[in-house]
Amino acid sequence: MTDLSTFFVPGPTWVRPEILAEMTRPMIGHRSAEFRELCGRVFDDLRKLFLTSGNVFVAASSGTGLLEGALLNCVPRRVLVTTCGAFSERWREIAQQLGVEVDILEHEWGKPVDAERLATHFTGRRYHYDAVTFTHNETSTGVLNDLEALTAVVHAESHDTLILVDAVSSLACTPIAFDDWKIDVCIASTQKGLALPPGLTLFAVSERALEAARKKAYRGTYFDFLLFDKHAREGNVPFTPSVSHFYALAAQLEHILRVESIETRWARHLQLRDMTIERTAAFCQLMADESHASPSITALAPRKLEPSVLLARMKERGYTLASGYGRWKPAGIRIGHMGDISLESLSAMLDVLAEVADA
């Protein structure tokens, strides 16, 4: 990748020109043999990305739509929501709007969800949980939760509680072992680690989750997992897809899996994270627990300039960074270093950031 990005927000991310060009291909019928072949290739490659041999689906939606869909399909009564930032709290907001009974295991912003606290909560719980939610990568704070450890706790404490995971900003940036960690629903959007335009959400669903959906009297329509499963078995999707996005997704999966390799991509994201933390330490405070620092987004508190001034001056120099989010908006900035961002692009931006921060 030789193109140098100047766009460093935590989604939507910079998209390579050749991927954008894929979206200009001629239309094909979404019930045609050509589209079924395209769908088949996409589904096969998505299994490699989620590290699963099971069910993978694609919806024309934001990630939030599938958070609602997961709750509609899998939670008849009560859910435990683990929170450590603004986006993990979205699970709670949606569940409450759906009329689901919600328990919350809340953690301080900037800290990860703690496996020991989770185990203690399960041991002392008064209720059965149909599901527990995790946000793998908390985009508001730059914290990566230890999903492997957290899922192990749930399986040790409950044999029938489903595990619902928001991996919107972590898929393709760090390993997610859907089968090995026995996740039940895992949701990711295309405009983050996959470095595609917004418009599609990718999700893996276990057989346990499908069985739970079969027992639900109401699953909605647009996000009915059973409809996705039925059409996927025919090599298709339930409703009119964005064909242009599918072209781009197929090409990007080919690049991730067979040109760069997924292992190289994971390693690059760790290098991007470490470079960001190291080269901003002199003029910014890392806002996340460094032991759980995200490989895809870094939240920082500038020591000298007001965040809004720093962002404006970077914009004048041609670079777009993000403000803090939620309650951290006034105090912080966020640097998105996910997707196809190269080490060269990030290094060039950090050089300018150092100049601006010391001006």
Side-chain angles (χ1 to χ4, degrees):
M1 293 178 288
T2 57
D3 300 286
L4 292 179
S5 172
T6 60
F7 195 63
F8 293 89
V9 304
T13 50
W14 175 69
V15 182
R16 292 183 292 122
E18 53 267 42
I19 293 301
L20 290 175
E22 289 290 324
M23 300 187 72
T24 67
R25 288 177 176 268
M27 284 296 100
I28 55 175
H30 65 279
R31 299 299 181 216
S32 65
E34 292 89 346
F35 186 75
R36 285 197 300 274
E37 188 276 332
L38 178 62
C39 250
R41 284 192 285 122
V42 165
F43 292 163
D44 286 345
D45 282 348
L46 284 179
R47 290 186 182 93
K48 298 179 179 71
L49 205 60
F50 281 104
L51 300 178
T52 183
S53 59
N55 309 298
V56 291
F57 308 124
V58 180
S61 166
S62 68
T64 302
L66 266 302
L67 299 187
E68 180 176 338
L71 292 166
L72 274 171
N73 280 267
C74 298
V75 182
R77 181 174 180 182
R78 183 176 290 273
V79 63
L80 173 65
V81 175
T82 65
T83 69
C84 60
F87 289 96
S88 50
E89 290 170 0
R90 187 166 292 180
W91 282 110
R92 170 187 57 79
E93 295 164 1
I94 296 170
Q96 289 174 337
Q97 289 172 353
L98 291 174
V100 171
E101 297 175 27
V102 182
D103 283 1
I104 302 169
L105 183 61
E106 186 175 8
H107 294 72
E108 180 183 350
W109 280 42
K111 302 293 184 182
V113 175
D114 184 75
E116 291 186 7
R117 279 192 63 200
L118 179 65
T120 299
H121 183 90
F122 261 95
T123 300
R125 71 190 186 279
R126 292 184 296 162
Y127 308 103
H128 170 264
Y129 295 122
D130 300 306
V132 58
T133 70
F134 298 113
T135 297
H136 189 200
N137 192 69
E138 179 50 74
T139 317
S140 65
T141 64
V143 166
L144 182 74
N145 284 304
D146 187 347
L147 192 54
E148 181 177 11
L150 295 171
T151 55
V153 167
V154 177
H155 289 300
E157 299 292 339
S158 174
H159 72 280
D160 59 354
T161 296
L162 299 181
I163 296 173
L164 314 181
V165 174
D166 169 352
V168 166
S169 62
S170 59
L171 186 70
C173 302
T174 191
I176 299 174
F178 186 89
D179 286 357
D180 287 351
W181 299 346
K182 299 178 183 177
I183 300 168
D184 292 293
V185 181
C186 187
I187 300 158
S189 296
T190 51
Q191 77 276 13
K192 305 283 188 174
L194 273 84
L196 291 163
L200 296 180
T201 293
L202 324 168
F203 55 116
V205 178
S206 73
E207 289 298 326
R208 288 204 318 164
L210 289 178
E211 185 58 33
R214 291 185 187 100
K215 296 175 182 177
K216 282 292 300 291
Y218 176 72
R219 300 180 296 275
T221 299
Y222 193 71
F223 298 116
D224 183 346
F225 284 1
L226 301 187
L227 278 178
F228 277 94
D229 182 52
K230 174 181 181 294
H231 284 270
R233 293 176 187 278
E234 300 165 358
N236 216 304
V237 294
F239 308 106
T240 305
S242 172
V243 174
S244 299
H245 279 87
F246 264 85
Y247 281 135
L249 176 57
Q252 183 67 335
L253 289 170
E254 177 72 19
H255 172 82
I256 291 171
L257 296 171
R258 299 177 187 89
V259 177
E260 183 175 26
S261 91
I262 190 60
E263 294 81 8
T264 300
R265 195 175 186 86
W266 293 334
R268 175 169 55 81
H269 278 82
L270 293 178
Q271 291 176 291
L272 293 166
R273 176 198 67 188
D274 294 346
M275 179 188 290
T276 302
I277 293 172
E278 178 182 350
R279 290 180 50 185
T280 59
F283 53 88
C284 284
Q285 175 66 43
L286 181 66
M287 299 179 80
D289 180 338
E290 188 166 359
S291 68
H292 287 76
S294 164
S296 61
I297 184 272
T298 298
L300 300 165
R303 291 196 172 96
K304 184 176 180 182
L305 290 179
E306 287 293 319
S308 59
V309 174
L310 181 60
L311 293 173
R313 292 184 181 176
M314 286 298 289
K315 191 73 171 178
E316 291 170 0
R317 300 287 293 271
Y319 288 97
T320 303
L321 280 62
S323 65
Y325 194 90
R327 69 181 71 163
W328 279 8
K329 184 178 179 66
I333 66 170
R334 293 177 300 154
I335 297 173
H337 39 76
M338 65 181 79
D340 285 342
I341 295 293
S342 67
L343 293 167
E344 293 78 12
S345 288
L346 182 64
S347 181
M349 185 277 289
L350 291 173
D351 284 342
V352 176
L353 184 61
E355 292 175 15
V356 169
D358 285 340

